[in-house]
Amino acid sequence: MFGGHFRVSFQCFLSRLFGGLLFASAKPVPRDDLARVVGQGASVELLIADLAADLEWRSFEVARVADSWMLRTRSSYAPAIRAAADVGDQLFDLSEFDIAVLAAIACHQPITRDGLKDIFGKEISRDLTGRLHGRGLIATGPRSPQRGAPFTFVTTDQFLAAFDLESLQGLPDREGLEDEGVMEAEQANVPG
């Protein structure tokens, strides 16, 4: 009987330890880092599920981002928190065109600047890609096999977290992007 109680208590301790790690981290915490904390034989997914259950009625939740986890405000509380707190500089102030370029990168990655030009019919400025890179939403991907081996762009885990995506499979399809007004129909038909 003592063994079962100890096991439940230790599991609860590890789950709360994960909560502390996620709370203290400014970035999503990779699964491998969490696994190192608990050692071999412990299920990271089970401990994360326990933590999520413990937080079920709280204003924040555990969110999966790629193969990492983070704590974040539940979307239903976000407007009230934005209104009450000074979080203006933490928000991504992106224009519709910035979001369209970001969506094109996400859907066609790795993509070169020329690939973006083919999609939008005009040059995409280095300032725009620099802003997206500076906000951690995109990164430099592998060099393209094209002549001159230009750099490519890819999205980051920060992109996934910012847009509440667990993985790129959560992206809307092109029709969904058209419906949202992010991508025009003629842009969606251009190969990228």
Side-chain angles (χ1 to χ4, degrees):
M1 189 149 206
F2 176 75
H5 176 70
F6 177 75
R7 193 172 15 254
V8 170
S9 296
F10 189 64
Q11 184 173 337
C12 183
F13 167 78
L14 291 176
S15 173
R16 290 181 180 172
L17 176 63
F18 275 15
L21 291 169
L22 298 179
F23 179 78
S25 179
K27 303 184 297 190
V29 180
R31 184 194 190 292
D32 291 345
D33 292 353
L34 294 171
R36 268 194 297 279
V37 170
V38 295
Q40 296 290 338
S43 170
V44 170
E45 287 76 12
L46 179 63
L47 293 169
I48 289 290
D50 286 349
L51 176 60
D54 285 346
L55 300 176
E56 188 174 345
W57 301 106
R58 305 268 177 142
S59 59
F60 54 97
E61 63 188 348
V62 177
R64 187 172 187 151
V65 177
D67 200 25
S68 303
W69 285 271
M70 64 184 283
L71 291 179
R72 69 170 169 216
T73 302
R74 291 186 189 277
S75 58
S76 59
Y77 290 89
I81 290 172
R82 278 192 201 105
D86 183 18
V87 295
D89 60 341
Q90 295 177 21
L91 299 175
F92 294 108
D93 187 25
L94 301 172
S95 71
E96 286 183 29
F97 188 67
D98 293 349
I99 293 172
V101 170
L102 192 55
I105 292 170
C107 291
H108 300 283
Q109 64 184 305
I111 188 169
T112 63
R113 189 176 306 284
D114 282 343
L116 291 170
K117 180 181 177 183
D118 290 344
I119 292 171
F120 293 100
K122 65 180 184 177
E123 286 286 331
I124 303 304
S125 76
R126 293 185 191 281
D127 288 344
L128 190 155
T129 56
R131 278 194 314 274
L132 297 175
H133 188 273
R135 291 182 174 133
L137 298 171
I138 65 170
T140 304
R143 293 257 189 178
S144 173
Q146 299 170 341
R147 184 177 178 171
F151 285 103
T152 61
F153 300 107
V154 295
T155 56
T156 63
D157 286 351
Q158 177 67 27
F159 165 82
L160 295 174
F163 289 93
D164 195 18
L165 298 168
E166 185 176 313
S167 72
L168 291 173
Q169 279 69 42
L171 286 171
D173 59 12
R174 289 183 179 169
E175 289 177 11
L177 292 173
E178 289 173 30
D179 292 345
E180 294 293 322
V182 172
M183 186 178 281
E184 294 179 16
E186 64 268 11
Q187 291 172 342
N189 293 326
V190 176

Short mmCIF file of all heavy atoms in Angstrom, two decimals, residues 56-90:
data_model
loop_
_atom_site.label_atom_id
_atom_site.label_comp_id
_atom_site.label_asym_id
_atom_site.label_seq_id
_atom_site.Cartn_x
_atom_site.Cartn_y
_atom_site.Cartn_z
N GLU A 56 -6.29 21.93 -15.85
CA GLU A 56 -7.53 21.96 -16.64
C GLU A 56 -8.40 23.18 -16.35
O GLU A 56 -9.00 23.74 -17.25
CB GLU A 56 -8.33 20.68 -16.42
CG GLU A 56 -9.50 20.57 -17.35
CD GLU A 56 -10.20 19.22 -17.21
OE1 GLU A 56 -9.62 18.29 -16.62
OE2 GLU A 56 -11.31 19.11 -17.72
N TRP A 57 -8.49 23.62 -15.13
CA TRP A 57 -9.38 24.72 -14.77
C TRP A 57 -8.63 26.02 -14.54
O TRP A 57 -9.17 26.96 -13.95
CB TRP A 57 -10.22 24.34 -13.56
CG TRP A 57 -11.03 23.12 -13.84
CD1 TRP A 57 -10.81 21.87 -13.37
CD2 TRP A 57 -12.16 23.02 -14.71
NE1 TRP A 57 -11.72 20.99 -13.88
CE2 TRP A 57 -12.58 21.67 -14.71
CE3 TRP A 57 -12.86 23.93 -15.49
CZ2 TRP A 57 -13.66 21.23 -15.46
CZ3 TRP A 57 -13.94 23.47 -16.23
CH2 TRP A 57 -14.33 22.14 -16.20
N ARG A 58 -7.40 26.09 -14.99
CA ARG A 58 -6.58 27.30 -14.83
C ARG A 58 -6.67 28.15 -16.09
O ARG A 58 -7.13 27.71 -17.13
CB ARG A 58 -5.12 26.92 -14.57
CG ARG A 58 -4.91 26.00 -13.41
CD ARG A 58 -4.65 26.80 -12.18
NE ARG A 58 -4.52 25.90 -11.05
CZ ARG A 58 -3.67 26.09 -10.09
NH1 ARG A 58 -2.86 27.12 -10.12
NH2 ARG A 58 -3.62 25.28 -9.07
N SER A 59 -6.16 29.36 -15.99
CA SER A 59 -6.18 30.27 -17.14
C SER A 59 -5.04 30.00 -18.12
O SER A 59 -4.96 30.62 -19.17
CB SER A 59 -6.10 31.72 -16.67
OG SER A 59 -4.92 31.92 -15.92
N PHE A 60 -4.18 29.07 -17.80
CA PHE A 60 -3.08 28.70 -18.69
C PHE A 60 -3.08 27.20 -18.89
O PHE A 60 -3.72 26.46 -18.15
CB PHE A 60 -1.73 29.20 -18.18
CG PHE A 60 -1.41 28.79 -16.77
CD1 PHE A 60 -0.63 27.68 -16.53
CD2 PHE A 60 -1.89 29.51 -15.69
CE1 PHE A 60 -0.33 27.28 -15.24
CE2 PHE A 60 -1.60 29.12 -14.39
CZ PHE A 60 -0.82 28.00 -14.17
N GLU A 61 -2.36 26.77 -19.94
CA GLU A 61 -2.39 25.37 -20.32
C GLU A 61 -1.02 24.94 -20.84
O GLU A 61 -0.18 25.77 -21.14
CB GLU A 61 -3.43 25.14 -21.41
CG GLU A 61 -3.11 25.88 -22.70
CD GLU A 61 -4.22 25.82 -23.74
OE1 GLU A 61 -5.16 25.03 -23.58
OE2 GLU A 61 -4.12 26.57 -24.72
N VAL A 62 -0.84 23.64 -20.94
CA VAL A 62 0.35 23.08 -21.56
C VAL A 62 0.07 22.97 -23.05
O VAL A 62 -0.98 22.46 -23.45
CB VAL A 62 0.68 21.67 -21.00
CG1 VAL A 62 1.89 21.09 -21.70
CG2 VAL A 62 0.90 21.73 -19.50
N ALA A 63 1.00 23.45 -23.87
CA ALA A 63 0.84 23.39 -25.32
C ALA A 63 2.04 22.70 -25.93
O ALA A 63 3.17 22.96 -25.55
CB ALA A 63 0.70 24.79 -25.88
N ARG A 64 1.77 21.82 -26.87
CA ARG A 64 2.84 21.15 -27.60
C ARG A 64 3.23 21.99 -28.81
O ARG A 64 2.38 22.46 -29.54
CB ARG A 64 2.41 19.76 -28.05
CG ARG A 64 3.56 18.98 -28.64
CD ARG A 64 3.21 17.55 -28.92
NE ARG A 64 4.41 16.86 -29.33
CZ ARG A 64 4.63 15.59 -29.14
NH1 ARG A 64 3.72 14.85 -28.55
NH2 ARG A 64 5.74 15.04 -29.56
N VAL A 65 4.54 22.16 -28.99
CA VAL A 65 5.08 22.89 -30.12
C VAL A 65 6.19 22.01 -30.70
O VAL A 65 7.24 21.85 -30.08
CB VAL A 65 5.66 24.26 -29.70
CG1 VAL A 65 6.28 24.97 -30.88
CG2 VAL A 65 4.59 25.11 -29.03
N ALA A 66 5.92 21.42 -31.86
CA ALA A 66 6.84 20.45 -32.47
C ALA A 66 7.09 19.34 -31.45
O ALA A 66 6.14 18.73 -30.98
CB ALA A 66 8.11 21.13 -32.95
N ASP A 67 8.33 19.09 -31.08
CA ASP A 67 8.64 18.06 -30.09
C ASP A 67 9.03 18.70 -28.75
O ASP A 67 9.93 18.23 -28.06
CB ASP A 67 9.76 17.14 -30.59
CG ASP A 67 9.79 15.80 -29.87
OD1 ASP A 67 8.73 15.38 -29.36
OD2 ASP A 67 10.86 15.17 -29.82
N SER A 68 8.34 19.80 -28.42
CA SER A 68 8.60 20.56 -27.20
C SER A 68 7.26 20.93 -26.57
O SER A 68 6.21 20.79 -27.19
CB SER A 68 9.37 21.84 -27.53
OG SER A 68 10.58 21.55 -28.19
N TRP A 69 7.34 21.43 -25.33
CA TRP A 69 6.13 21.89 -24.64
C TRP A 69 6.39 23.24 -24.01
O TRP A 69 7.52 23.59 -23.68
CB TRP A 69 5.71 20.90 -23.56
CG TRP A 69 5.08 19.67 -24.10
CD1 TRP A 69 3.75 19.47 -24.37
CD2 TRP A 69 5.73 18.44 -24.47
NE1 TRP A 69 3.55 18.20 -24.87
CE2 TRP A 69 4.75 17.55 -24.94
CE3 TRP A 69 7.04 18.01 -24.44
CZ2 TRP A 69 5.02 16.27 -25.36
CZ3 TRP A 69 7.34 16.74 -24.87
CH2 TRP A 69 6.35 15.88 -25.33
N MET A 70 5.29 23.98 -23.81
CA MET A 70 5.36 25.28 -23.15
C MET A 70 4.06 25.53 -22.41
O MET A 70 3.06 24.85 -22.65
CB MET A 70 5.59 26.38 -24.19
CG MET A 70 4.43 26.53 -25.18
SD MET A 70 4.69 27.74 -26.49
CE MET A 70 4.42 29.23 -25.60
N LEU A 71 4.10 26.49 -21.49
CA LEU A 71 2.88 26.96 -20.85
C LEU A 71 2.45 28.22 -21.58
O LEU A 71 3.28 29.04 -21.96
CB LEU A 71 3.12 27.29 -19.38
CG LEU A 71 3.41 26.11 -18.46
CD1 LEU A 71 3.66 26.61 -17.03
CD2 LEU A 71 2.27 25.11 -18.46
N ARG A 72 1.13 28.37 -21.77
CA ARG A 72 0.63 29.58 -22.40
C ARG A 72 -0.79 29.86 -21.89
O ARG A 72 -1.48 28.98 -21.38
CB ARG A 72 0.64 29.48 -23.91
CG ARG A 72 -0.35 28.51 -24.45
CD ARG A 72 -0.47 28.62 -25.94
NE ARG A 72 -1.23 27.47 -26.40
CZ ARG A 72 -1.01 26.84 -27.53
NH1 ARG A 72 -0.07 27.24 -28.32
NH2 ARG A 72 -1.74 25.81 -27.87
N THR A 73 -1.18 31.09 -22.07
CA THR A 73 -2.52 31.51 -21.68
C THR A 73 -3.55 30.81 -22.55
O THR A 73 -3.36 30.69 -23.76
CB THR A 73 -2.66 33.03 -21.87
OG1 THR A 73 -1.66 33.68 -21.10
CG2 THR A 73 -4.03 33.52 -21.46
N ARG A 74 -4.62 30.35 -21.95
CA ARG A 74 -5.71 29.78 -22.75
C ARG A 74 -6.29 30.90 -23.61
O ARG A 74 -6.42 32.04 -23.17
CB ARG A 74 -6.79 29.19 -21.86
CG ARG A 74 -6.35 27.94 -21.14
CD ARG A 74 -7.51 27.31 -20.36
NE ARG A 74 -7.02 26.26 -19.50
CZ ARG A 74 -6.78 25.02 -19.90
NH1 ARG A 74 -7.01 24.69 -21.16
NH2 ARG A 74 -6.33 24.11 -19.07
N SER A 75 -6.64 30.57 -24.84
CA SER A 75 -7.10 31.59 -25.78
C SER A 75 -8.33 32.34 -25.28
O SER A 75 -8.50 33.52 -25.57
CB SER A 75 -7.37 30.97 -27.15
OG SER A 75 -8.33 29.94 -27.04
N SER A 76 -9.17 31.69 -24.49
CA SER A 76 -10.37 32.37 -23.99
C SER A 76 -10.04 33.50 -23.01
O SER A 76 -10.83 34.40 -22.80
CB SER A 76 -11.33 31.36 -23.35
OG SER A 76 -10.69 30.70 -22.27
N TYR A 77 -8.84 33.46 -22.40
CA TYR A 77 -8.44 34.50 -21.45
C TYR A 77 -7.56 35.58 -22.09
O TYR A 77 -7.30 36.62 -21.48
CB TYR A 77 -7.65 33.88 -20.29
CG TYR A 77 -8.48 33.03 -19.37
CD1 TYR A 77 -8.66 31.68 -19.61
CD2 TYR A 77 -9.11 33.58 -18.26
CE1 TYR A 77 -9.43 30.89 -18.77
CE2 TYR A 77 -9.88 32.80 -17.41
CZ TYR A 77 -10.04 31.46 -17.67
OH TYR A 77 -10.79 30.70 -16.84
N ALA A 78 -7.09 35.34 -23.30
CA ALA A 78 -6.13 36.25 -23.93
C ALA A 78 -6.63 37.69 -24.06
O ALA A 78 -5.88 38.62 -23.73
CB ALA A 78 -5.69 35.70 -25.28
N PRO A 79 -7.85 37.95 -24.53
CA PRO A 79 -8.28 39.35 -24.66
C PRO A 79 -8.28 40.10 -23.32
O PRO A 79 -7.86 41.26 -23.26
CB PRO A 79 -9.70 39.24 -25.22
CG PRO A 79 -9.74 37.91 -25.90
CD PRO A 79 -8.84 37.02 -25.08
N ALA A 80 -8.72 39.44 -22.27
CA ALA A 80 -8.75 40.11 -20.96
C ALA A 80 -7.33 40.39 -20.46
O ALA A 80 -7.06 41.46 -19.91
CB ALA A 80 -9.50 39.24 -19.95
N ILE A 81 -6.44 39.46 -20.69
CA ILE A 81 -5.05 39.67 -20.24
C ILE A 81 -4.40 40.78 -21.06
O ILE A 81 -3.71 41.63 -20.49
CB ILE A 81 -4.26 38.35 -20.33
CG1 ILE A 81 -4.80 37.40 -19.25
CG2 ILE A 81 -2.76 38.58 -20.17
CD1 ILE A 81 -4.26 36.01 -19.31
N ARG A 82 -4.64 40.82 -22.37
CA ARG A 82 -4.08 41.90 -23.20
C ARG A 82 -4.61 43.26 -22.73
O ARG A 82 -3.89 44.24 -22.73
CB ARG A 82 -4.43 41.69 -24.66
CG ARG A 82 -3.51 40.74 -25.34
CD ARG A 82 -3.69 40.76 -26.86
NE ARG A 82 -3.17 39.53 -27.39
CZ ARG A 82 -3.88 38.51 -27.82
NH1 ARG A 82 -5.20 38.58 -27.82
NH2 ARG A 82 -3.31 37.42 -28.26
N ALA A 83 -5.90 43.30 -22.38
CA ALA A 83 -6.49 44.56 -21.94
C ALA A 83 -5.96 45.01 -20.58
O ALA A 83 -5.79 46.20 -20.34
CB ALA A 83 -8.02 44.42 -21.89
N ALA A 84 -5.67 44.06 -19.71
CA ALA A 84 -5.25 44.40 -18.35
C ALA A 84 -3.74 44.58 -18.21
O ALA A 84 -3.29 45.29 -17.32
CB ALA A 84 -5.72 43.31 -17.38
N ALA A 85 -2.97 43.94 -19.06
CA ALA A 85 -1.51 43.96 -18.92
C ALA A 85 -0.88 44.72 -20.08
O ALA A 85 -1.45 44.83 -21.16
CB ALA A 85 -0.97 42.53 -18.88
N ASP A 86 0.29 45.22 -19.85
CA ASP A 86 1.04 45.92 -20.89
C ASP A 86 1.86 44.90 -21.66
O ASP A 86 3.01 44.64 -21.35
CB ASP A 86 1.95 46.98 -20.26
CG ASP A 86 2.69 47.79 -21.29
OD1 ASP A 86 2.28 47.80 -22.46
OD2 ASP A 86 3.71 48.41 -20.92
N VAL A 87 1.24 44.28 -22.68
CA VAL A 87 1.93 43.27 -23.47
C VAL A 87 2.10 43.70 -24.92
O VAL A 87 2.40 42.90 -25.78
CB VAL A 87 1.18 41.90 -23.43
CG1 VAL A 87 1.19 41.33 -22.04
CG2 VAL A 87 -0.24 42.03 -23.95
N GLY A 88 1.94 44.99 -25.19
CA GLY A 88 2.01 45.49 -26.55
C GLY A 88 3.28 45.12 -27.27
O GLY A 88 3.26 44.74 -28.43
N ASP A 89 4.44 45.23 -26.62
CA ASP A 89 5.70 44.95 -27.30
C ASP A 89 5.95 43.45 -27.44
O ASP A 89 6.89 43.05 -28.11
CB ASP A 89 6.87 45.63 -26.60
CG ASP A 89 7.04 45.18 -25.16
OD1 ASP A 89 6.10 44.63 -24.57
OD2 ASP A 89 8.15 45.38 -24.61
N GLN A 90 5.14 42.62 -26.82
CA GLN A 90 5.29 41.18 -26.95
C GLN A 90 4.48 40.62 -28.12
O GLN A 90 4.69 39.50 -28.54
CB GLN A 90 4.84 40.47 -25.66
CG GLN A 90 5.71 40.80 -24.48
CD GLN A 90 5.19 40.12 -23.22
OE1 GLN A 90 4.46 39.14 -23.29
NE2 GLN A 90 5.56 40.65 -22.09
#
